[in-house]
Amino acid sequence: MFIDSSNPLGRTQMSTYIEQREIKEGSPVWFWSNAQLASYCQNSQNHWQAKTDKDRIMALLFFHQTDVAAEISFLETHSEHLRQGHMSDLFSHFALEQKKEIWVDVHEKNKEALDFYGQQGFKIVGQRKSYYRDGGTGLLMSYSV
């Protein structure tokens, strides 16, 4: 089942997910804190979609729309559901709904994300030097729908 930020039940599930989410000490710089996720969800310009199993979120995709593209801000798979295909399912669902190009910015050291986006058909189209707070380069990736 897929839910999104326009669904009242989905918003309740998201609040619960954020409250129960645990960030491990020493997580990479590209991980978002619970406060960042909560703040992102409160901004009406931002959207999210999730894949659920009844009442638990398994995979999340956060994005916002620009004039020319849907820009993915953050992806996350619940630790109990890693490497089970849930994020690929969610991305496919998301991509089918888009009428514009899809963009994402990935930390150059985030090999897992680079591999995932490459498998989905994204291409690296540019870079932002010193984009991340650790001085890391952001690789701009694009997916044509």
Side-chain angles (χ1 to χ4, degrees), residues 36-54:
Q36 285 174 298
L37 287 181
S39 176
Y40 190 91
C41 290
Q42 291 171 359
N43 183 332
S44 64
Q45 300 295 316
N46 300 327
H47 310 282
W48 57 266
Q49 291 186 355
K51 182 177 179 189
T52 67
D53 66 349
K54 298 181 185 171

Side-chain angles (χ1 to χ4, degrees), residues 24-91:
K24 293 179 183 164
E25 188 68 33
S27 291
V29 68
W30 53 83
F31 275 48
W32 284 19
S33 70
N34 290 353
Q36 285 174 298
L37 287 181
S39 176
Y40 190 91
C41 290
Q42 291 171 359
N43 183 332
S44 64
Q45 300 295 316
N46 300 327
H47 310 282
W48 57 266
Q49 291 186 355
K51 182 177 179 189
T52 67
D53 66 349
K54 298 181 185 171
D55 55 349
R56 284 191 58 175
I57 290 176
M58 298 184 296
L60 292 166
L61 186 153
F62 295 86
F63 68 101
H64 63 274
Q65 299 285 352
T66 71
D67 291 340
V68 295
E71 187 167 357
I72 296 173
S73 304
F74 186 73
L75 298 180
E76 180 170 286
T77 302
H78 189 282
S79 60
E80 294 176 10
H81 301 284
L82 293 171
R83 292 170 185 62
Q84 297 175 24
H86 299 301
M87 186 55 70
S88 293
D89 291 348
L90 177 57
F91 177 77

